[in-house]
Amino acid sequence: MTALHMHELRGCSPVPLAHYLKALGILRLVAEQKDPTVRGWWQDQHFCLLTALDRRALDRFFLEEYAPTPFVSPWNKGSGFFSPNDPGLTPLEKSTAARFAALRRGIKSARAPLKELAAADAAVRALKDRTKTKKGMTDEQKRAAAALKNDAGYKADLAAANECFASLKADLFRPCELAWRGPHRAWMDAALVLPEEGKPSFPALLGTGGNDGRVDFTNNAMQRLDDLFFVASDGGPRPVASGLLADALWRTVTRGVVAGAVGQFLPGSAGGANSTTGPGGDSFINPWDFVLMIEGAVMFSARSTRRLDPRASSRASAPFSVRAHAVGHGSTGAEKSDRGEQWMPLWTRPSTASDFEAMLGEARMQLGRDAAQRPVDVVRAVSRLGAARGVRGFTRFGFLERNGQAQLAVPLGRVDVVERPRARLIDDLSPWLDRLQRAARDKNAPARLIHAERQLANAVFALLTHDDTAERWQSVLLSAAAIEAIQVGGTAIRAGPIPRLQPEWVLVSDDGSVEWRLARALGSAAAEYDRRGRPLDPIRHHWLPLKPGARRYHEQDKRLFRDPRVVMSGRDPVADFSSLVERRLIEAARSGQRRLPLVAASGCGAEPADLAALVEGDVDLNRVSGLAHAFMAVNWRGSTPPISATAPAGSWPAEPWIALRLACLPWPLERGRDIPADQAIVRRLRSGDATAAVEIALRRMRPAGLCPPIRAASASPTTARLWAAALAFPISNRTACALARSFESNRQQENS
């Protein structure tokens, strides 16, 4: 039996991206060129390798046997194919070493369609050379060269030459696709995607076809090979190669790192302004890190997919790549992120290279029939994928513009894969979140919408990546209500109001607080509930101008309709609640009823102890208002689950307010005890006259056979307005009868 050796490659970590890709490169190369049974996995922030090779054999393989993949990008001007004596490509092309045979074949295949393109490029260079000043030129020649730049004929010739080069370059991809076979075709599949029609598209992982700006990844990798091996002779390792390999694999400190561009993969070594103790610093790289990083990137073969969007076309879709969204991390700025994000899987089950490639081939993260397009969608989908393939987490990278216009793969944190059954409730909000993000990305979007949309997305992301506590569910609801508050002013109304929510949203947000119970009562309020449990005329119509059914905004001339029923602004909860009460009394009076038509869903009425805290001013009304606005979107129709959180026993509301509450009921208190409501009560309270309001309420109660234990009351104007606001919270008939009995018991105590 062959002995197996387990190696902890501490030089390979999930962050930065270069070191993650390096681990994949090691796994792929060992599997393809030495040990097909090798397995790898992630453990304790480093990569582990299980192979028949011991440490010495593993080192010897890379130093003496490793044959580089033919990564060639003839479509890039910096690839070396257009320079007569390129320092990266030319030595390898002329080398006779056996280990570079595949690379030479790739270079030969890439050269085939380049003759005409090279001639066009030479014509462009020749024209540009005519305007350059050189040593030995006379002043007259320098002036002539400078003047030529503004010559109309010269400009026309240069434009024509550039156009010819561009057209030939655009047609270069198709011949390569048709003719290339073998390992250099694998590199092409990772670097770009050619749709049936249209221009090629480029996965963000390898920039734009294997380069980022002026940095060509393939040419740099060729130069790094020359740093490691005697390319011009037998291809053997240079003296520094062994120490650099120990640093790359085992994190053994060594000397010999070289100056060279690292591109987007290793931001910490990119150099530039303020990168070290001085004003600037050079870019340094371990050549093994760069070469093995490119070898690992080959595994991410891109695919051409079509999004289920009428405005979308074929696009490059690298495994686990999504559109960028500044959510779930602290690196949110105004930088561009057009290249999106890459989520790198971390698996803990020993897997072969073919197992990992199979996982990448299936890495189209789905939510039902829809593909996961945004980070929020990914965290909804990864638990299902992880359970199938042993993925236990993802390292998230965003390709952001930093350090000028350089694109850097910035680590945005780790997301663990955890089963969260209740996370499916977010499906209710998903289409709405998409519409809001599109509205926030508009160039004319106001700053408050951008901030509110990001706050909502962060709340959803935190909920899906941490323990889903009631506080986190409430954070999502409050952020959603804040979006509606912005929409009241006419912003992003095309996104629509909060969509219909399942009743479970009420349960998962239950933190046992007074605010939650009061918000539940108010959010479920309607004129009445029919026999099937359907709310009739819910109070959401007083918060937003909605069409019948309360699912879409009522618009007129592309603006929100100025509905007189909308009396809640979201700015002052006391004013909003009291306006709601007054509006309901007015509408009831118009229909010939002397009632306050505010009824809660079954089991959701406000309890005396909570009302007592409210009228005493011990409740956060802003939080109540936000949660209530979100609860108004709940589908209370007949399917309401058993609602928990009955208020604990406690003090009762003040007796004057009980009198006001009993004088503003939606139905008769008991048979023979019908207390007609009076609009004057709320008007007096809103004006700050609590004495007159209580006096009216007491007069209404006596004909119904109630004997209040008080004859008059007084309160400050602030308290009077708070009393009016408290009337907006519906109570059950059971609670109303209990309040009435408290009056009678207090009266009996006074008489005794």
Side-chain angles (χ1 to χ4, degrees), residues 17 51 55 248 301 312 318 321 371 393 435 470 565 593 670 700 707:
L17 181 57
T51 175
R55 178 165 176 168
S301 177
S321 64
R435 295 193 295 270
R565 299 196 72 197
Q593 298 180 353
E670 293 173 335
R700 296 296 181 188
C707 299

Side-chain angles (χ1 to χ4, degrees), residues 17 21 71 73 75-76 186-192 202-212 215 217-218 264-265 293-302 318 339 342 399:
L17 181 57
L21 294 175
F71 28 73
S73 304
W75 46 82
N76 294 330
W187 162 257
M188 182 179 181
D189 289 341
L192 57 91
F202 306 105
L205 182 63
L206 289 172
T208 53
N211 78 303
D212 181 23
V215 179
F217 302 147
T218 60
Q264 60 190 8
F265 304 98
M293 169 192 76
I294 297 298
E295 296 281 8
V298 174
M299 300 188 76
F300 284 81
S301 177
R339 294 188 185 177
Q342 190 86 38
F399 298 98

Side-chain angles (χ1 to χ4, degrees), residues 271-282 403:
N274 300 320
S275 62
T276 183
T277 54
D282 295 330
N403 192 22

Side-chain angles (χ1 to χ4, degrees), residues 473-496:
W473 286 101
Q474 285 192 17
S475 179
V476 173
L477 292 170
L478 290 171
S479 299
I483 295 288
E484 282 191 338
I486 293 175
Q487 291 176 325
V488 168
T491 299
I493 59 175
R494 293 293 181 183

